[in-house]
Amino acid sequence: MKSFLELPSFKKKKSAIFLGCGPSIENFTAEQWKFIKDNFDVWASNNWIVNKDIIPDFYHLEVKMHRSGQLMVDMLNLKHESYKDVCWILDNTRPYLLQFIDPRYFENIFLYDKVYRNGESGAYEIDKKKVSVSCNASLTVILDIMQRMEYESISFAGVDMTSSKYFWTDNPKYEEYPIPDIMKSCKPDERPPDSLHPTFKLKDFIPEFCEFNGIESYNLSPESLLKERMKTCKLEEIPNV
Protein backbone atom coordinates (compact mmCIF):
# COMPACT_ATOMS: atom_id res chain seq x y z
CA MET A 1 0.00 0.00 0.00
CA LYS A 2 1.10 3.56 -0.68
CA SER A 3 0.53 7.06 0.64
CA PHE A 4 -1.92 9.24 -1.26
CA LEU A 5 0.97 11.68 -1.65
CA GLU A 6 2.35 9.30 -4.28
CA LEU A 7 -0.73 9.64 -6.49
CA PRO A 8 0.66 12.43 -8.74
CA SER A 9 3.13 9.94 -10.23
CA PHE A 10 0.14 7.90 -11.46
CA LYS A 11 -1.33 10.81 -13.41
CA LYS A 12 -1.70 9.97 -17.11
CA LYS A 13 -3.62 12.86 -18.69
CA LYS A 14 -3.37 16.64 -18.38
CA SER A 15 -7.09 16.94 -17.64
CA ALA A 16 -9.38 15.05 -15.28
CA ILE A 17 -13.08 14.32 -15.07
CA PHE A 18 -15.04 13.40 -11.96
CA LEU A 19 -18.04 11.19 -12.60
CA GLY A 20 -20.84 11.49 -10.06
CA CYS A 21 -23.64 8.98 -9.65
CA GLY A 22 -26.47 11.36 -10.57
CA PRO A 23 -29.01 10.34 -13.25
CA SER A 24 -27.61 12.77 -15.86
CA ILE A 25 -24.53 10.57 -16.27
CA GLU A 26 -26.66 8.34 -18.46
CA ASN A 27 -26.84 11.09 -21.11
CA PHE A 28 -23.40 10.30 -22.53
CA THR A 29 -23.27 8.31 -25.76
CA ALA A 30 -20.91 5.41 -26.48
CA GLU A 31 -18.76 7.76 -28.57
CA GLN A 32 -18.55 10.25 -25.71
CA TRP A 33 -17.55 7.55 -23.25
CA LYS A 34 -14.69 6.62 -25.57
CA PHE A 35 -13.69 10.30 -25.80
CA ILE A 36 -13.63 10.51 -21.99
CA LYS A 37 -11.47 7.41 -21.64
CA ASP A 38 -9.05 8.65 -24.31
CA ASN A 39 -8.67 12.21 -23.04
CA PHE A 40 -9.12 12.33 -19.27
CA ASP A 41 -7.95 10.80 -16.06
CA VAL A 42 -11.28 9.42 -14.85
CA TRP A 43 -12.21 9.77 -11.18
CA ALA A 44 -15.18 8.18 -9.41
CA SER A 45 -16.35 7.27 -5.94
CA ASN A 46 -18.83 5.42 -3.73
CA ASN A 47 -20.87 2.91 -5.76
CA TRP A 48 -19.64 3.83 -9.23
CA ILE A 49 -18.69 0.19 -9.79
CA VAL A 50 -22.37 -0.37 -10.66
CA ASN A 51 -21.84 1.61 -13.87
CA LYS A 52 -21.56 -0.33 -17.15
CA ASP A 53 -19.98 2.32 -19.36
CA ILE A 54 -16.51 3.06 -18.06
CA ILE A 55 -13.91 1.91 -15.54
CA PRO A 56 -12.29 4.81 -13.67
CA ASP A 57 -8.57 5.34 -13.32
CA PHE A 58 -8.94 6.61 -9.74
CA TYR A 59 -11.61 5.36 -7.36
CA HIS A 60 -12.27 6.82 -3.89
CA LEU A 61 -13.96 4.02 -2.01
CA GLU A 62 -16.55 4.81 0.63
CA VAL A 63 -18.73 2.01 1.98
CA LYS A 64 -21.53 2.31 4.52
CA MET A 65 -21.62 -1.27 5.72
CA HIS A 66 -25.34 -1.38 6.54
CA ARG A 67 -26.31 0.19 3.22
CA SER A 68 -23.79 -0.69 0.55
CA GLY A 69 -21.53 -3.32 2.11
CA GLN A 70 -23.12 -6.34 0.46
CA LEU A 71 -23.56 -4.52 -2.84
CA MET A 72 -19.83 -3.74 -2.98
CA VAL A 73 -18.99 -7.38 -2.22
CA ASP A 74 -21.31 -8.54 -5.00
CA MET A 75 -20.06 -6.01 -7.55
CA LEU A 76 -16.39 -6.72 -6.85
CA ASN A 77 -17.09 -10.41 -7.29
CA LEU A 78 -18.56 -9.60 -10.70
CA LYS A 79 -15.96 -7.03 -11.80
CA HIS A 80 -12.84 -7.95 -9.87
CA GLU A 81 -10.71 -8.61 -12.95
CA SER A 82 -11.69 -5.48 -14.86
CA TYR A 83 -11.01 -3.27 -11.81
CA LYS A 84 -7.63 -4.74 -10.87
CA ASP A 85 -5.58 -1.86 -12.33
CA VAL A 86 -7.62 0.94 -10.76
CA CYS A 87 -5.90 3.27 -8.30
CA TRP A 88 -7.95 2.75 -5.14
CA ILE A 89 -7.99 5.62 -2.61
CA LEU A 90 -8.95 4.66 0.94
CA ASP A 91 -9.42 6.43 4.25
CA ASN A 92 -6.67 5.18 6.56
CA THR A 93 -8.98 5.53 9.57
CA ARG A 94 -11.40 2.99 8.10
CA PRO A 95 -9.40 -0.25 7.95
CA TYR A 96 -12.57 -2.24 7.23
CA LEU A 97 -12.32 -0.97 3.65
CA LEU A 98 -9.49 -3.45 3.14
CA GLN A 99 -12.12 -6.18 3.42
CA PHE A 100 -13.19 -5.05 -0.05
CA ILE A 101 -9.91 -3.94 -1.62
CA ASP A 102 -7.57 -6.69 -0.50
CA PRO A 103 -3.87 -5.80 -1.00
CA ARG A 104 -3.23 -9.39 -2.05
CA TYR A 105 -5.30 -8.84 -5.21
CA PHE A 106 -5.17 -5.10 -5.89
CA GLU A 107 -1.76 -3.56 -6.50
CA ASN A 108 -2.52 0.18 -6.40
CA ILE A 109 -3.97 1.09 -3.00
CA PHE A 110 -3.41 4.58 -1.60
CA LEU A 111 -4.19 5.54 1.99
CA TYR A 112 -4.79 9.01 3.41
CA ASP A 113 -5.20 10.57 6.84
CA LYS A 114 -7.78 13.31 7.20
CA VAL A 115 -8.65 16.42 9.15
CA TYR A 116 -12.14 17.88 9.52
CA ARG A 117 -12.73 21.52 8.66
CA ASN A 118 -15.34 23.70 10.37
CA GLY A 119 -15.84 26.01 7.41
CA GLU A 120 -17.95 25.19 4.36
CA SER A 121 -16.15 27.50 1.94
CA GLY A 122 -13.94 25.96 -0.73
CA ALA A 123 -11.38 28.74 -0.27
CA TYR A 124 -8.83 27.23 2.10
CA GLU A 125 -5.15 26.29 2.13
CA ILE A 126 -4.40 22.60 1.50
CA ASP A 127 -2.84 20.66 4.38
CA LYS A 128 0.36 19.23 2.91
CA LYS A 129 0.20 15.91 4.78
CA LYS A 130 -3.52 15.30 5.33
CA VAL A 131 -6.72 15.44 3.34
CA SER A 132 -9.37 17.92 4.47
CA VAL A 133 -13.03 16.97 4.88
CA SER A 134 -15.53 19.78 4.27
CA CYS A 135 -19.34 19.87 4.39
CA ASN A 136 -19.25 16.24 5.57
CA ALA A 137 -19.02 15.21 1.91
CA SER A 138 -16.62 12.71 0.34
CA LEU A 139 -16.35 14.73 -2.87
CA THR A 140 -14.50 17.43 -0.91
CA VAL A 141 -11.91 14.80 0.01
CA ILE A 142 -11.54 13.84 -3.64
CA LEU A 143 -11.11 17.45 -4.74
CA ASP A 144 -8.50 18.01 -2.04
CA ILE A 145 -6.54 15.09 -3.51
CA MET A 146 -7.12 16.09 -7.14
CA GLN A 147 -5.73 19.55 -6.46
CA ARG A 148 -2.35 17.95 -5.76
CA MET A 149 -2.35 16.32 -9.21
CA GLU A 150 -1.93 19.71 -10.91
CA TYR A 151 -4.46 19.06 -13.67
CA GLU A 152 -4.97 21.80 -16.24
CA SER A 153 -8.71 21.39 -15.84
CA ILE A 154 -11.27 19.31 -13.95
CA SER A 155 -14.69 18.57 -15.41
CA PHE A 156 -17.73 17.34 -13.51
CA ALA A 157 -20.50 15.10 -14.82
CA GLY A 158 -23.35 13.48 -12.93
CA VAL A 159 -22.88 15.77 -9.91
CA ASP A 160 -26.55 16.69 -10.13
CA MET A 161 -27.71 17.38 -6.55
CA THR A 162 -31.21 18.21 -7.84
CA SER A 163 -32.59 14.95 -6.48
CA SER A 164 -31.58 12.01 -4.30
CA LYS A 165 -31.76 9.59 -7.22
CA TYR A 166 -28.81 7.74 -8.73
CA PHE A 167 -28.17 6.71 -12.34
CA TRP A 168 -29.40 3.21 -11.51
CA THR A 169 -32.65 4.41 -9.88
CA ASP A 170 -35.58 2.86 -11.79
CA ASN A 171 -33.19 2.16 -14.67
CA PRO A 172 -33.84 -1.18 -16.47
CA LYS A 173 -30.21 -1.15 -17.62
CA TYR A 174 -29.14 -2.18 -14.11
CA GLU A 175 -31.93 -4.56 -13.16
CA GLU A 176 -29.57 -7.55 -13.38
CA TYR A 177 -27.43 -6.21 -10.52
CA PRO A 178 -28.30 -7.01 -6.88
CA ILE A 179 -29.00 -3.42 -5.83
CA PRO A 180 -30.90 -3.48 -2.51
CA ASP A 181 -33.92 -1.25 -1.94
CA ILE A 182 -31.95 0.83 0.56
CA MET A 183 -29.60 1.80 -2.29
CA LYS A 184 -32.24 2.69 -4.89
CA SER A 185 -31.82 6.37 -3.95
CA CYS A 186 -29.92 8.34 -1.30
CA LYS A 187 -31.22 7.28 2.12
CA PRO A 188 -34.73 6.31 0.92
CA ASP A 189 -35.64 5.52 4.53
CA GLU A 190 -35.04 9.17 5.43
CA ARG A 191 -35.89 11.31 2.38
CA PRO A 192 -38.06 11.26 -0.77
CA PRO A 193 -36.16 10.40 -3.99
CA ASP A 194 -37.11 13.76 -5.54
CA SER A 195 -35.70 15.84 -2.66
CA LEU A 196 -32.41 17.68 -3.05
CA HIS A 197 -29.37 15.49 -2.52
CA PRO A 198 -28.00 16.01 1.01
CA THR A 199 -24.72 17.30 -0.45
CA PHE A 200 -26.44 20.18 -2.26
CA LYS A 201 -24.15 22.71 -0.52
CA LEU A 202 -21.40 21.51 -2.83
CA LYS A 203 -22.96 23.66 -5.55
CA ASP A 204 -21.01 26.52 -3.92
CA PHE A 205 -18.07 24.62 -2.44
CA ILE A 206 -16.88 23.07 -5.71
CA PRO A 207 -16.70 26.34 -7.71
CA GLU A 208 -15.11 28.13 -4.75
CA PHE A 209 -12.48 25.40 -4.40
CA CYS A 210 -11.61 25.45 -8.09
CA GLU A 211 -11.48 29.25 -8.25
CA PHE A 212 -9.32 29.52 -5.13
CA ASN A 213 -6.85 26.95 -6.48
CA GLY A 214 -6.75 28.34 -10.01
CA ILE A 215 -8.28 25.20 -11.55
CA GLU A 216 -10.23 25.56 -14.79
CA SER A 217 -13.51 23.76 -14.15
CA TYR A 218 -16.44 22.72 -16.32
CA ASN A 219 -19.86 21.34 -15.52
CA LEU A 220 -21.07 18.86 -18.15
CA SER A 221 -24.56 18.25 -16.72
CA PRO A 222 -27.11 20.99 -17.53
CA GLU A 223 -29.36 19.51 -14.84
CA SER A 224 -26.73 20.03 -12.11
CA LEU A 225 -26.95 22.76 -9.48
CA LEU A 226 -23.35 23.55 -10.47
CA LYS A 227 -24.71 25.46 -13.46
CA GLU A 228 -25.46 28.37 -11.11
CA ARG A 229 -21.77 29.12 -10.54
CA MET A 230 -19.69 27.05 -12.95
CA LYS A 231 -19.24 27.22 -16.71
CA THR A 232 -21.57 24.62 -18.20
CA CYS A 233 -20.76 23.18 -21.60
CA LYS A 234 -20.79 20.05 -23.71
CA LEU A 235 -18.00 17.52 -23.47
CA GLU A 236 -16.66 18.45 -26.90
CA GLU A 237 -16.48 22.16 -25.96
CA ILE A 238 -13.88 21.76 -23.20
CA PRO A 239 -10.78 23.64 -24.44
CA ASN A 240 -7.34 22.08 -24.83
CA VAL A 241 -8.44 18.48 -24.40
Side-chain angles (χ1 to χ4, degrees):
M1 292 181 284
K2 309 174 181 68
S3 164
F4 80 103
L5 296 173
E6 298 179 57
L7 277 167
S9 64
F10 287 78
K11 173 182 172 183
K12 298 178 181 177
K13 306 291 196 320
K14 63 182 181 180
S15 297
I17 185 169
F18 176 80
L19 303 176
C21 291
S24 70
I25 206 73
E26 287 293 300
N27 294 339
F28 285 130
T29 64
E31 291 75 17
Q32 288 175 315
W33 281 122
K34 184 179 185 306
F35 183 87
I36 289 171
K37 193 63 179 176
D38 290 344
N39 293 279
F40 297 89
D41 274 357
V42 179
W43 290 67
S45 66
N46 298 340
N47 296 294
W48 180 264
I49 195 169
V50 171
N51 184 268
K52 292 185 175 183
D53 296 301
I54 197 169
I55 297 169
D57 301 295
F58 300 87
Y59 197 136
H60 178 263
L61 184 65
E62 185 173 14
V63 179
K64 300 294 191 300
M65 296 295 286
H66 66 294
R67 292 182 181 273
S68 57
Q70 188 58 50
L71 175 63
M72 186 57 62
V73 169
D74 293 338
M75 296 310 301
L76 280 168
N77 283 336
L78 287 170
K79 299 188 177 185
H80 174 273
E81 189 61 29
S82 58
Y83 270 71
K84 63 181 177 62
D85 294 326
V86 168
C87 291
W88 294 94
I89 305 168
L90 279 59
D91 182 345
N92 196 33
T93 67
R94 297 178 177 176
Y96 68 86
L97 293 174
L98 293 175
Q99 299 175 30
F100 304 95
I101 310 302
D102 192 323
R104 293 175 297 176
Y105 307 114
F106 293 96
E107 181 178 351
N108 296 320
I109 301 176
F110 301 84
L111 303 179
Y112 65 84
D113 292 310
K114 64 190 178 186
V115 58
Y116 287 93
R117 296 180 60 241
N118 292 324
E120 296 184 344
S121 168
Y124 70 92
E125 295 292 338
I126 296 290
D127 186 309
K128 292 184 179 180
K129 295 184 178 180
K130 294 184 178 181
V131 170
S132 295
V133 183
S134 306
C135 307
N136 199 32
S138 61
L139 181 48
T140 67
V141 169
I142 298 166
L143 284 175
D144 193 283
I145 294 173
M146 293 179 82
Q147 188 271 352
R148 304 161 200 261
M149 306 289 283
E150 298 185 349
Y151 289 115
E152 291 185 8
S153 69
I154 300 176
S155 298
F156 300 85
V159 186
D160 299 346
M161 298 177 284
T162 50
S163 79
S164 292
K165 297 178 181 178
Y166 298 119
F167 63 77
W168 59 80
T169 303
D170 300 323
N171 189 340
K173 180 177 175 180
Y174 297 99
E175 285 181 351
E176 67 181 279
Y177 289 158
I179 301 172
D181 289 341
I182 200 169
M183 288 300 301
K184 293 295 175 64
S185 62
C186 183
K187 301 180 180 179
D189 51 332
E190 300 177 13
R191 60 197 310 114
D194 291 321
S195 64
L196 286 178
H197 196 278
T199 60
F200 70 91
K201 290 183 179 180
L202 295 184
K203 69 181 179 63
D204 297 314
F205 177 92
I206 296 173
E208 287 171 355
F209 182 90
C210 293
E211 291 166 9
F212 183 79
N213 288 284
I215 300 170
E216 291 292 329
S217 58
Y218 303 94
N219 168 45
L220 305 181
S221 300
E223 301 90 337
S224 171
L225 293 179
L226 289 175
K227 66 183 179 182
E228 299 175 10
R229 291 193 54 183
M230 184 180 291
K231 178 177 176 58
T232 299
C233 64
K234 296 179 180 179
L235 177 66
E236 296 79 9
E237 295 173 343
I238 300 173
N240 303 317
V241 172

